[in-house]
Amino acid sequence: MIAYAQRVERLRGPRAGQDRFFRLCAQYVSQNIFTTIRAEQMTRELGYTRAYLCTRFKQETGISLTRYVQQEKVAEAKRLLRFTDQELGDIAALLDFSSQSHFQTVFKQVTGETPMAYRRSSQV
């Protein structure tokens, strides 16, 4: 539990010196949330090598870049599930998941519940 709290803290507020790197990565993910986000493309856009980008991101946040992208996509999916009546397949496609099944799997890994269970509980 402590390790989890430390990872969350690192994600929420990078320390001085880390702020710019994390902000660039977070901004890239935010601006590209509806597309496929690949480390290779990020490296071209941000000017880092793939190894450096992935290693430094993990060191600074405690989670992999892939996991961060998944968490951000799920956060956007939660907003869509709560405030729209879009079908799961449409949300999965909008967020560029490979399939509705993959979307549901990732959503459950991140939140602990299925997208439909989240929708039902958030509309109560």
Side-chain angles (χ1 to χ4, degrees), residues 31-89:
Q31 290 173 345
N32 294 281
I33 199 74
F34 298 110
T35 65
T36 301
I37 299 173
R38 302 226 187 277
E40 293 78 14
Q41 183 63 31
M42 279 184 78
T43 60
R44 285 192 289 276
E45 298 272 337
L46 302 179
Y48 301 113
T49 66
R50 185 182 194 286
Y52 179 82
L53 178 75
C54 293
T55 300
R56 183 162 175 198
F57 193 90
K58 173 88 174 185
Q59 287 173 340
E60 291 191 12
T61 65
I63 63 170
S64 71
L65 181 57
T66 300
R67 187 65 171 173
Y68 176 76
V69 170
Q70 289 175 337
Q71 289 176 347
E72 291 301 299
K73 284 187 179 259
V74 166
E76 183 62 29
K78 288 169 76 173
R79 284 187 282 278
L80 293 168
L81 287 164
R82 187 170 188 176
F83 298 112
T84 74
D85 60 354
Q86 290 183 315
E87 299 290 326
L88 292 184

Side-chain angles (χ1 to χ4, degrees), residues 4-15 18-19 22-23 26 57-58 60-65 67-69 71-72:
Y4 175 76
Q6 289 170 334
R7 286 193 303 265
V8 169
E9 176 64 25
R10 281 183 280 199
L11 273 175
R12 296 265 184 241
R15 297 180 299 270
Q18 298 172 328
D19 187 40
F22 178 79
R23 191 175 61 246
F57 193 90
K58 173 88 174 185
E60 291 191 12
T61 65
I63 63 170
S64 71
L65 181 57
R67 187 65 171 173
Y68 176 76
V69 170
Q71 289 176 347
E72 291 301 299

